[in-house]
Amino acid sequence: MLTIMEIAVHDWKTLSIDELIKKYDFSLESLYEIALKQGLHKYSTQNERRRMTDVEKSFIENNQNLSVTQVSNILHKSYNGTLMQIKTLGYYNMIGK
């Protein structure tokens, strides 16, 4: 049986996405899924300036009950940056408020 490794809250809050992927040896997709299962979207994270990847777009499409703040915490992006990208992609009406 496969056990799912947990991500430390301190790491989630302080490490970048690339650092988390290297430290925990996860794919970006599994990193977001594990973070969501652990409830890490409730914690503010280090803001990063990155383009939204297809994995991130898919994550938003499949988790429409999250608020903009929670999406930004999962994606490690600023609230304003996330909001702008979500609106540009036409996802704003899909997600929870």
Side-chain angles (χ1 to χ4, degrees), residues 6-15 17 20 34-47 66-79:
E6 288 198 1
I7 301 168
V9 173
H10 177 26
D11 288 346
W12 183 254
K13 291 165 80 172
T14 58
L15 298 179
I17 289 290
L20 285 164
I34 291 167
L36 187 62
K37 286 179 184 166
Q38 277 188 242
L40 297 177
H41 56 281
K42 299 171 187 170
Y43 301 96
S44 61
T45 57
Q46 173 182 322
N47 292 341
L66 298 175
S67 68
V68 175
T69 302
Q70 292 171 328
V71 172
S72 67
N73 288 343
I74 285 281
L75 303 183
H76 280 234
K77 295 176 183 283
S78 71
Y79 175 87

Side-chain angles (χ1 to χ4, degrees), residues 50-52 77 81-89:
R50 298 178 287 109
R51 288 180 176 257
M52 193 169 286
K77 295 176 183 283
T82 304
L83 180 62
M84 196 166 62
Q85 289 178 333
I86 286 173
K87 283 185 172 182
T88 302
L89 294 167

Side-chain angles (χ1 to χ4, degrees), residues 4-64:
I4 296 179
M5 184 181 212
E6 288 198 1
I7 301 168
V9 173
H10 177 26
D11 288 346
W12 183 254
K13 291 165 80 172
T14 58
L15 298 179
S16 70
I17 289 290
D18 289 337
E19 291 169 334
L20 285 164
I21 289 171
K22 285 179 188 171
K23 180 173 182 174
Y24 291 96
D25 195 29
F26 292 145
S27 68
L28 185 60
E29 189 171 28
S30 61
L31 183 74
Y32 290 145
E33 286 179 24
I34 291 167
L36 187 62
K37 286 179 184 166
Q38 277 188 242
L40 297 177
H41 56 281
K42 299 171 187 170
Y43 301 96
S44 61
T45 57
Q46 173 182 322
N47 292 341
E48 298 181 40
R49 292 182 177 265
R50 298 178 287 109
R51 288 180 176 257
M52 193 169 286
T53 65
D54 290 338
V55 169
E56 291 168 335
K57 291 175 190 174
S58 174
F59 176 82
I60 293 169
E61 290 169 3
N62 293 318
N63 295 287
Q64 297 177 14

